[in-house]
């Protein structure tokens, strides 16, 4: 909690204002009713509204002290959506308990994250398509190949299928998702057992792994 109890109320507000003005983020002061009491210029730019317009209006977002959340701010007049990282601390303002809300513009960062995800998805899609073409060509060649060589073609298909599955896992991990390595290895073991060893080989492959 930010307090300066040794100072009179007007001095505490002036001191807090001085601190706020030095901060690069958009800052708003929200009272216990959820109304904005103060907004600095950086906050004006985020909301595309003047401090005079903002003061007295509802902040409109849940504020939880000690937590960091991301919010979408819809600007007036078709100005678009701005993404902001929100942090909250408690303080005093004109002898009242209020919340000091810090708003950091993360619009550029969110755009870079979306661009990176789109690029990853596009690359993954193209890799899968190319691998499917290769598998199709191998299947076509296997039809016209002597029986003793068919097993080799099936082995090639199994290996390419494993590469396709691995690419899928890498794509998921790049998006921050849980990678089911256990399921991947089990599927590879199953494919190897069926395609390479055969059902009569008497050899089984067991996999013990956890998702990452």
């Amino acid at each position: 909690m930010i307090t300066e109890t040794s100072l009179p109320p007007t001095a505490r507000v002036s001191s807090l204002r001085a601190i706020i003005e030095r901060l690069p983020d958009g800052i708003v002061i929200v009272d216990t009713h959820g109304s904005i009491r103060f907004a600095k210029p950086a906050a004006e730019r985020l909301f595309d509204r003047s401090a005079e317009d903002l003061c007295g209006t509802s902040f409109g977002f849940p504020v939880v002290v000690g937590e960091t959340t991301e919010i979408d701010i819809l600007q007036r007049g078709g100005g678009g959506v701005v993404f902001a990282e929100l942090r909250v601390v408690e303080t005093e303002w004109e002898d009242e308990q209020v919340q000091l809300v810090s708003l950091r513009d993360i619009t550029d960062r969110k755009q870079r994250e979306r661009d990176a995800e789109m690029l990853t998805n596009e690359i993954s899609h193209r890799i899968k398509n190319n691998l499917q073409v290769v598998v199709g060509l191998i299947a076509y060649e296997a039809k016209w190949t002597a029986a003793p060589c068919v097993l080799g073609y099936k082995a090639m298909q199994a290996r390419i299928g494993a590469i396709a599955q691995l690419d899928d896992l890498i794509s998921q991990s790049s998006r921050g998702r849980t990678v089911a390595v256990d399921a991947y290895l089990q599927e590879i073991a199953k494919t190897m057992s069926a395609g390479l060893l055969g059902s009569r080989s008497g050899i089984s492959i067991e996999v013990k792994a956890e998702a990452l």
Side-chain angles (χ1 to χ4, degrees), residues 160-181:
I160 293 171
I163 293 172
Q165 288 179 308
L166 181 59
D167 174 70
D168 208 23
L169 283 177
I170 294 172
S171 178
Q172 290 178 30
S173 66
S174 68
R175 295 191 291 269
R177 298 178 184 172
T178 300
V179 178
V181 174

Side-chain angles (χ1 to χ4, degrees), residues 12 24 34 42 63 70 78 94 117 127 155 161 163 170 179 185 195 210 212:
R12 289 201 297 270
V63 287
E70 293 182 2
E94 297 177 348
E117 183 173 0
I127 290 174
I163 293 172
I170 294 172
V179 178
L185 294 177
E210 297 180 356
L212 300 178

Side-chain angles (χ1 to χ4, degrees), residues 22-184:
R22 288 196 293 270
L23 297 174
D25 298 335
I27 303 292
V28 294
I29 300 293
V30 179
D31 63 22
T32 54
H33 302 291
S35 297
I36 297 175
R37 299 283 300 276
F38 168 84
K40 66 173 291 188
E44 293 178 326
R45 290 190 291 273
L46 283 173
F47 288 96
D48 196 25
R49 298 174 64 182
S50 67
E52 185 179 353
D53 286 341
L54 288 170
C55 289
T57 63
S58 173
F59 180 58
F61 298 97
V63 287
V64 181
V65 176
E67 291 189 6
T68 300
T69 57
E70 293 182 2
I71 61 172
D72 304 349
I73 302 172
L74 181 62
Q75 294 184 328
R76 295 190 306 175
V81 177
V82 174
F83 299 94
E85 188 177 76
L86 182 151
R87 299 185 183 188
V88 185
V89 295
E90 289 183 340
T91 186
E92 289 186 2
W93 184 268
E94 297 177 348
D95 277 345
E96 291 183 34
Q97 285 296 121
V98 295
Q99 283 138 349
L100 186 151
V101 181
S102 170
L103 298 163
R104 176 164 296 179
D105 190 343
I106 58 171
T107 305
D108 290 342
R109 190 189 81 191
K110 298 291 284 187
Q111 183 62 52
R112 288 193 299 271
E113 290 174 355
R114 286 197 298 270
D115 291 345
E117 183 173 0
M118 288 177 61
L119 179 60
T120 300
N121 291 340
E122 178 64 22
I123 292 172
S124 178
H125 178 70
R126 294 193 178 204
I127 290 174
K128 286 180 183 178
N129 284 348
N130 290 334
L131 291 175
Q132 286 174 354
V133 170
V134 174
V135 169
L137 290 172
I138 292 172
Y140 178 79
E141 287 294 326
K143 289 181 180 180
W144 310 102
T145 301
C149 300
V150 172
L151 185 60
Y153 279 108
K154 287 185 177 180
M156 290 172 62
Q157 285 180 309
R159 289 169 184 169
I160 293 171
I163 293 172
Q165 288 179 308
L166 181 59
D167 174 70
D168 208 23
L169 283 177
I170 294 172
S171 178
Q172 290 178 30
S173 66
S174 68
R175 295 191 291 269
R177 298 178 184 172
T178 300
V179 178
V181 174
D182 52 344
Y184 168 71

